[in-house]
Amino acid sequence: MMKLKRVNDFVIRFANVNGSGSASANNLFAKAVFRLGVPVSPKNIFPSNIQGLPTWYEVRVSEKGYLGRRGGYDFVVAVNGQTLRKDYDDLSPGGYFLYDSSRQLPDDFLREDITVIDIPLTQICIREIENPKLRQLLKNIIYVGALAHLLDMEFSVLTDSIKKQFRKKPKLATPNIHALELGFEYAVKQFPDTCQLSVKRSQKMPHHILMDGNSAVGLGALYGGATVAGWYPITPSTSVIEAFEKFTSQYRRDDDGKRKAAIIQAEDELAALGIAMGASWNGARAFTATSGPGVSLMNELLGLAYFAEIPVVLINVQRCGPSTGMPTRTQQSDLLLAAYASHGDTKHILLFPCNPKECFEMTADSFDLAERLQTPIIIMSDLDLGMNDHISLPLEWDDSRIYDRGKVLDAGQLEAMTEKWGRYLDREGDGICYRTIPGTHPTLGAYFTRGSSHDEYAAYTEDNDAYERCMVRLTQKWHTAKPLVPGPHIRIKDETCVQGAIFFGTSTHSAYEAMDQLGEQDIIINTMRLRGFPFQEAVTAFVDRHDHIFVIEQNRDGQMRTLLINECNIRPDKLFSIPAMDGLPITAGHITRSIKAIITPSVPPGTDTHQGGAK
């Protein structure tokens, strides 16, 4: 048997029971790899119940800096009897299988192409740890200590991490460090030269940070000037508001120590958006965070915000649908729902971050965009980006930056006007009108209006011509928005290449790796990463210059493909969808296999395969 032998290049899967405290231990391992300077990408795959069901934690270690899911497992730590067979069978040939040998493997576990590492974790806990309440928690730490030896990691990195974690409660650090030592010492004695995978200190990413997207969004809202959050708890967006609450408690207080922010839990998602809209209409910078089911409920008020032209920011951390779906699985399946949310003719601006840095920057920028364009701005994150840690460049902020409040009239400007002011009167031809904030002037600038049926002076009307003028102006504002949203990132590998790939958000990392894999097979594909909607001319130009375009996205129906066809008047037979719909982050291998299946002679060019793609 050939053992897998790699340095800083493998995938390890931890198979645990939800609610057993394993997440902290697994996170400790991932952060230790990161502190050694090695690119790492952890994925927590957990059920929606509180405890008892299987949970997995995948850690990809990649010296080359590939941060998407690779697919396949080189090392499995199996401490969940419910999934033992699956974890055993899923291990790649030549891999390593660490299990709790307090109970032996069944007789039919007979693979000869893997290395079995049997450590009696439960027995060690019973023998060495007196406190019964700590045994289950520390059992997880024991296998991390064993991994430190098996993977030839610097043990001090783990102990230092424990000390930092419990710096405010140093007494808790002692039993955790003892558990690490128990696992390490057992592995040293019983498995001295067993594993040929290793983690070595590197300088591949010396200046990067490890952060989850929801925390970055919460911090972006703080720096973007938000002072009001209306919300209703819903997985996987709840930690956005939790992060915002933490940051405002720490950094947004007046001289008397009172927090200068309002975080209001509503009775449902519709009310949460209403709170944010009301605060924004009154001059605050306000937002809400939700997921697909919440966006469904918010549709009516999103339409009101669009037609009444009220700036507001919505964070959509997407999950599996439809309806309640799988709340702890990830997808990119709310594109059409968000882009055309509400009844009537509506279009909403969407931003597509792919890492924590962009979560921070796009959230902060979204408040400027919302006020400048007087419309909802929707950040399209997802569970993978929001709830998992990701390596990212450091977050940066220019302290001299001034917020863009858009076309807001102050008292002096109102008094200086010689003509009648119209709230929905377009004076500059860009579709954006001047607004006022309540209380700006005791007698001037006030108006009473409703959603769609108003004229240029906010007066109620059902006049057909007035309504049509309003719709035409909103279309003009849509065109004004195009150069203001983040533009696409385009990579032209070959000027003569006839094939291109389009992707966005968390599909990005696996897509770039897949392009490298295809390039090694002499399949050259130019790429475009979308970062915003509406689409700029650069998007259409990229499509026009290629004969075939592969649209990579994590949903069943090719929603981005549909959006491109609708908005850019692209021939449907030119766009080939590469879908992933299993609720797990898309892998580079899946993308590579799917594209190769399409470009083989058995699939004639131009065939509409938008439902296709190899699994």
Side-chain angles (χ1 to χ4, degrees):
M1 182 192 68
M2 294 295 293
K3 293 183 178 181
L4 292 176
K5 183 177 181 180
R6 302 195 195 109
V7 178
N8 295 348
D9 182 20
F10 60 88
V11 177
I12 182 169
R13 171 201 263 184
F14 299 88
N16 304 98
V17 177
N18 198 38
S20 64
S22 59
S24 297
N26 301 337
N27 188 257
L28 170 67
F29 172 81
K31 288 186 175 180
V33 175
F34 172 72
R35 288 183 174 122
L36 287 169
V38 182
V40 63
S41 178
K43 308 290 185 188
N44 191 14
I45 302 167
F46 58 101
S48 58
N49 73 327
I50 296 175
Q51 63 181 10
L53 290 181
T55 181
W56 291 273
Y57 191 93
E58 299 177 8
V59 180
R60 182 173 189 186
V61 180
S62 172
E63 180 76 13
K64 293 182 179 181
Y66 291 131
L67 302 177
R69 278 186 75 231
R70 189 200 68 186
Y73 308 100
D74 307 311
F75 199 121
V76 169
V77 178
V79 291
N80 184 359
Q82 298 178 63
T83 64
L84 199 64
R85 167 59 72 181
K86 175 176 175 56
D87 299 322
Y88 186 82
D89 292 344
D90 286 350
L91 182 62
S92 298
Y96 304 86
F97 186 79
L98 190 163
Y99 78 104
D100 183 358
S101 60
S102 301
R103 174 179 290 183
Q104 293 301 311
L105 288 176
D107 294 339
D108 60 345
F109 280 54
L110 300 174
R111 290 184 64 175
E112 296 182 355
D113 60 344
I114 63 174
T115 299
V116 175
I117 302 171
D118 50 327
I119 300 179
L121 299 170
T122 301
Q123 292 179 8
I124 293 173
C125 287
I126 294 173
R127 183 176 66 247
E128 302 288 344
I129 300 170
E130 293 183 4
N131 188 337
K133 294 182 180 180
L134 288 178
R135 286 172 183 165
Q136 177 59 53
L137 297 174
L138 294 181
K139 182 170 75 171
N140 304 315
I141 302 296
I142 290 174
Y143 66 64
V144 174
L147 288 173
H149 163 70
L150 293 166
L151 299 174
D152 199 21
M153 297 173 65
E154 295 178 25
F155 190 71
S156 61
V157 175
L158 289 165
T159 56
D160 289 345
S161 297
I162 290 288
K163 291 175 182 177
K164 289 179 182 179
Q165 181 180 349
F166 296 108
R167 61 184 178 275
K168 294 183 179 180
K169 298 179 180 179
K171 290 184 178 181
L172 295 178
T174 301
N176 280 271
I177 291 175
H178 178 56
L180 282 174
E181 292 170 344
L182 289 173
F184 186 85
E185 291 166 1
Y186 186 93
V188 168
K189 292 178 182 178
Q190 301 297 325
F191 305 100
D193 299 302
T194 299
C195 183
Q196 296 183 24
L197 301 174
S198 61
V199 179
K200 298 296 184 183
R201 186 176 288 275
S202 174
Q203 293 297 319
K204 184 68 176 180
M205 293 185 172
H207 305 298
H208 288 65
I209 62 173
L210 191 66
M211 188 178 194
D212 67 272
N214 281 356
S215 293
V217 167
L219 194 60
L222 177 85
Y223 273 82
T227 57
V228 176
W231 75 298
Y232 184 82
I234 179 172
T235 303
S237 71
T238 299
S239 56
V240 170
I241 304 299
E242 292 173 342
F244 183 69
E245 190 278 332
K246 183 182 79 170
F247 293 133
T248 53
S249 294
Q250 188 171 359
Y251 299 115
R252 182 159 288 157
R253 292 189 177 276
D254 60 21
D255 295 338
D256 296 328
K258 294 181 180 180
R259 186 169 63 184
K260 299 187 292 183
I263 301 170
I264 306 165
Q265 181 172 337
E267 64 267 28
D268 55 34
E269 290 89 347
L270 184 64
L273 178 59
I275 289 168
M277 287 171 55
S280 184
W281 179 77
N282 274 280
R285 289 195 152 189
F287 74 104
T288 188
T290 191
S291 189
V295 178
S296 297
L297 291 173
M298 293 175 179
N299 261 236
E300 184 174 4
L301 280 186
L302 281 170
L304 175 62
Y306 176 83
F307 284 110
E309 299 178 68
I310 301 171
V312 70
V313 173
L314 168 60
I315 314 298
N316 181 10
V317 189
Q318 299 168 91
R319 69 190 204 189
C320 279
S323 186
T324 54
M326 294 193 293
T328 58
R329 297 294 189 265
T330 193
Q331 269 193 341
Q332 297 173 312
S333 55
D334 294 345
L335 299 181
L336 298 177
L337 169 67
Y340 302 126
S342 198
H343 50 277
D345 292 319
T346 55
K347 287 184 183 180
H348 298 292
I349 294 166
L350 311 180
L351 306 183
F352 307 111
C354 79
N355 55 45
K357 182 177 176 64
E358 287 194 340
C359 284
F360 171 76
E361 293 173 344
M362 289 186 179
T363 302
D365 292 344
S366 67
F367 292 95
D368 280 356
L369 277 174
E371 293 206 291
R372 182 169 179 179
L373 295 167
Q374 300 174 27
T375 197
I377 306 294
I378 305 178
I379 308 290
M380 301 296 287
S381 180
D382 58 37
L383 183 144
D384 177 28
L385 177 55
M387 296 191 70
N388 286 321
D389 286 334
H390 296 262
I391 284 180
S392 174
L393 289 169
L395 312 184
E396 298 176 341
W397 184 259
D398 182 359
D399 288 333
S400 65
R401 175 170 170 172
I402 298 174
Y403 297 142
D404 184 353
R405 303 305 303 268
K407 296 183 179 181
V408 180
L409 295 172
D410 59 27
Q413 290 171 312
L414 286 168
E415 290 180 347
M417 292 185 71
T418 57
E419 68 279 9
K420 182 180 178 182
W421 170 66
R423 169 64 183 94
Y424 300 110
L425 187 62
D426 183 7
R427 295 185 176 279
E428 293 161 357
D430 58 1
I432 306 172
C433 309
Y434 283 87
R435 67 187 178 108
T436 58
I437 293 174
T440 296
H441 193 281
T443 59
L444 300 176
Y447 65 97
F448 180 82
T449 190
R450 54 193 281 166
S452 56
S453 298
H454 55 243
D455 66 10
E456 288 80 354
Y457 297 93
Y460 165 69
T461 181
E462 293 187 18
D463 178 73
N464 305 82
D465 292 337
Y467 177 78
E468 184 174 350
R469 290 196 303 272
C470 176
M471 299 303 293
V472 170
R473 180 179 58 75
L474 289 172
T475 301
Q476 178 56 49
K477 183 163 71 169
W478 183 251
H479 291 298
T480 299
K482 287 184 178 182
L484 301 179
V485 303
H489 283 176
I490 296 173
R491 294 183 181 180
I492 302 299
K493 293 184 177 180
D494 185 347
E495 293 288 344
T496 64
C497 180
V498 298
Q499 298 179 133
I502 295 175
F503 42 84
F504 59 98
T506 51
S507 299
T508 296
H509 311 294
S510 293
Y512 281 137
E513 182 179 0
M515 297 307 112
D516 289 346
Q517 292 177 358
L518 291 165
E520 293 172 357
Q521 303 172 52
D522 296 324
I523 301 173
I524 306 302
I525 300 177
N526 296 327
T527 62
M528 177 171 63
R529 176 168 75 90
L530 298 172
R531 298 196 304 148
F533 173 72
F535 303 127
Q536 294 100 332
E537 294 300 323
V539 175
T540 304
F542 179 87
V543 174
D544 287 345
R545 70 179 292 166
H546 297 95
D547 294 339
H548 312 112
I549 301 288
F550 306 104
V551 186
I552 301 164
E553 51 189 316
Q554 297 177 69
N555 59 68
R556 185 195 69 182
D557 295 334
Q559 293 187 30
M560 182 60 78
R561 176 181 181 272
T562 297
L563 204 57
L564 287 163
I565 292 169
N566 286 354
E567 298 295 325
C568 301
N569 294 317
I570 299 169
R571 293 194 341 263
D573 61 357
K574 191 173 186 177
L575 301 182
F576 298 80
S577 187
I578 308 297
M581 66 200 83
D582 61 359
L584 298 175
I586 194 170
T587 67
H590 170 71
I591 296 170
T592 299
R593 291 189 298 271
S594 299
I595 290 178
K596 289 185 67 177
I598 291 174
I599 63 177
T600 53
S602 60
V603 181
T607 301
D608 188 351
T609 60
H610 70 277
Q611 298 283 2
K615 185 65 179 170

